Amino acid sequence: MTDAAKFVADPKWADIIPVREESQVTRHLPSHEDCSQLDVEAIRDHLRKGGTLGRMKGYEERPGQIDMAGAIASAFNERRHLMIEAGTGVGKSLGYLVPSVRWAWINDTPVVVSTATRNLQSQLLSSDIPHALGVLGPDRRNFRVALLKGRTNYLCLKAVDEFFAAGYWTMSAEEQEAIPSFIEWLRKTKDGDLDDYDGLPRSQLSRPGDECSGRKCPYYAQCFVYRARKRAAESHLIVVNHSLVLAEATGPGSGILPAYGRLVMDEAHNLEAIATDFLSAEFSLPNMGRVIKRLLRRHREAGPRAADVLAAADALISHCGKILPAKTEMRRYRADADYFPEVPRLRELQAAFERPMLELIHYLHDYCDKLEDGDLVLRLMSDANQLLSLLNESVFVIAGEKPTHAYWVERVRTERRRSYLRLVAAPLSVADDLRKMFYEMKDSVVLCSATLRVGKDFKYMSRRLGFSPLPDTPPERYQAVVADSPFDYFRQSLALGLDCLPDPSADATGYSSRLASLLPRLFTLTRGRTLVLFTSYEMMNDVAGLCRGELEAAGLRLLVQGEGMTRERMTKELREAEADGGVVLFGSQSFWEGVDVSGPALSCVVITRLPFAMVGDPVIEARSEAIERAGGSPFRDYALPEAVIKFRQGFGRLIRCKSDRGVVVITDPRIATKNYAVSFRRSIPTTVHTVTSADELFARINGSDFMVHDLV
């Protein structure tokens, strides 16, 4: 018997996981009136040159950061909500961490910091938070910080026990091959964070909250989830992501987070999209199959009934999928438009699905009434509740009746070239939900990002995020401020708008061809060191295919998103390019933000299209229709502001520190020819100069002093 087989067969395999100590800290959320106030000027002084954090050699005082910290301190003191745009280079992380750390410390109460991306979480934990703790002096050693993730991010020992219970020799060859490395990781992990493990499927190693038996679980004393929550409950500063905050807000009393009154949401320009996804309903065979598969692992006798459910669900979903024409991946539907074919047949299939679902749910309830095993009852009742939830979601999604939602059916492609159909209902607005979950429940919510304004004000983002008082709420409770960037964009950057290519919205093929013939010469001039931003994978791949050979001949290395390298690895390759550069990165949606490459490695950013949302997105279409019904302009009131915010994010990839210099080239001719272009041109902190030919473009770059480090 192999060592792996022996480990799996050992009933005491979990003894390698230490027992968790029970929490000795009991804290209650103090009322606002019982909290000590921050000294706002002292908070500002921490960030001034010569202050607590400004004593290091070469420290540069940032007025925007100082103003931001002071504004947040005042908001905490006065129980106000704050929307703050902190321009690139402000150092917004320290701007909100300094008042958050001080508030949490002097009041011994948690402050929650939420982000949209893991990259920012890593930056906060490895760099910014340790730096911010300097404001506590010798007390910093007693300040507690926790990173908390969703339950399914942590290893569940009960799930592992169930996986091992069937025996090593019943596992697939792939699973057996993965077991030795899993055992090695299990011996080393201190937090059970599955983000640090790559091997067995996460679905086999974690469990949702409604399957947790809590203190009744035999592994409760070793549980990684409760270990993480214990750490969070004892902490002053808790770092999470937006989805976890939403989960806690929609399930109060769930114990995900300890009670807290101050919430800072960084990368808040992404909040609407994340909340929309979180609050959406879905009906699909894989969703159904996951619950059924889990149920059958515990109770095989339910097999015949479960098979009836899956067959009926498959028939129903397949019928709904008939509204998708050949080679069409997605289509919206509404109940009042009779999109679904053969509506009487649809109703028959719905009834044929609902009957076995209800029979299975009732069977599980009756079966559990006879059981004495409390743990099994909990798990089977969890399955029954999930099945009921899926049934209700299927009824809601297929009905398509609520004007507050967008409904669509789509074909989802999997990594193994398979596909499945799913039906989705997504809210058209999350403003009221965010108001009820956060602004009405918390003492102070701070929303911050580098891009929250459209034009000179916050009206658009405030409307989308529900950041406005109700009639019975004092208007002064909601405030918005700007923390200006310390960068001199007129001195550090050159922005050029090229007006000689075809309009990409009218002639995408011609535009791609002309763009591909222009870019190699540009990259030769910049010696690589360029990030090229696309709005679609199709155009990105077309242009890459057309110019790849010429770039290779010029000794330039082309990295294209989706060709096997992760986003983080691609960014690292660009950042670590040698002095001679030679790296060009083609990226689509996710590269428009979060890419932070300072210094000579990135001296040119190319924006290939004004980033309007692609035609066919069902949520965007439905939101546009709702705006039109209300008497507004879908373009002016939604499409244009969204594109401007994304455009600002793309522009912000270039200048990351005061010594950076470089060029932004906007190759979409609409930046020069359309009336609405003024909204884009005015949204960035420098002038966009129009050039009317490729030769003029290259001459302006070659004759400027914006290409740093002897590039020209």
Side-chain angles (χ1 to χ4, degrees), residues 279 321 328 335 379 491:
L279 296 170
T328 301
R379 293 177 182 279
R491 182 185 64 82

Side-chain angles (χ1 to χ4, degrees), residues 564-582:
M565 194 178 291
T566 65
R567 178 180 181 273
E568 291 72 22
R569 179 63 185 275
M570 292 174 70
T571 305
K572 184 179 180 181
E573 293 285 330
L574 179 63
R575 183 183 295 115
E576 296 181 354
E578 297 181 0
D580 288 336

Side-chain angles (χ1 to χ4, degrees), residues 283-293 295-296 302-318 349-364 383-384 386-388 390-391 394:
F283 179 44
S284 69
L285 208 57
N287 265 13
M288 186 74 62
R290 277 190 287 271
V291 180
I292 295 294
K293 184 178 179 181
L295 167 63
L296 295 182
R305 291 179 174 84
D308 291 342
V309 168
L310 289 176
D314 188 23
L316 176 57
I317 293 172
S318 296
L349 290 170
Q350 275 190 290
F353 167 64
E354 291 174 17
R355 277 195 301 272
M357 274 285 277
L358 290 172
E359 287 174 3
L360 177 57
I361 292 168
H362 290 151
Y363 164 76
L364 290 174
D383 292 333
Q386 281 208 301
L387 289 170
L388 182 59
L390 287 172
L391 175 59
S394 73

Side-chain angles (χ1 to χ4, degrees), residues 15 30 72 97 136 145 173 182 223 225-226 281 305 341 397 477 641 692 702:
D15 287 353
I72 294 174
L97 285 173
L136 298 179
V145 179
F182 172 69
C223 178
V225 171
Y226 283 97
R305 291 179 174 84
V397 171
R477 186 136 194 250
T692 57
N702 203 32

Side-chain angles (χ1 to χ4, degrees), residues 63 275 430:
V430 297

Side-chain angles (χ1 to χ4, degrees), residues 114 240-252 254 256-257 260 263 265 270-279 430 433-434 437-438:
S114 180
V240 299
N241 62 31
H242 295 341
S243 295
L244 185 64
V245 172
L246 287 163
E248 189 273 339
T250 54
S254 63
I256 297 174
L257 289 168
Y260 66 96
L263 170 64
M265 304 190 84
N270 287 316
L271 181 57
E272 182 183 28
I274 293 171
T276 299
D277 184 62
F278 182 85
L279 296 170
V430 297
D433 295 285
L434 294 176
M437 287 190 288
F438 298 125

Side-chain angles (χ1 to χ4, degrees), residues 68 82-88 92 96 242 264-272 439 445-465 467 479-483 593 641-642 644-649 683:
M68 178 181 179
L82 184 66
M83 182 177 282
I84 184 162
E85 181 178 282
T88 305
K92 62 178 167 50
Y96 60 70
H242 295 341
V264 178
M265 304 190 84
D266 201 345
E267 302 175 309
H269 62 281
N270 287 316
L271 181 57
E272 182 183 28
Y439 318 135
V445 177
V446 177
L447 304 177
C448 60
S449 168
T451 53
L452 290 174
R453 291 181 299 164
V454 176
K456 299 297 182 183
D457 60 56
F458 294 86
K459 291 180 181 177
Y460 174 75
M461 195 59 77
S462 295
R463 186 169 65 250
R464 300 306 308 177
L465 300 182
F467 192 83
Q479 294 192 354
V481 299
V482 178
E593 59 182 279
E642 287 290 316
V644 166
I645 288 171
K646 191 165 186 175
F647 180 77
R648 295 182 65 201
Q649 283 284 338
S683 72

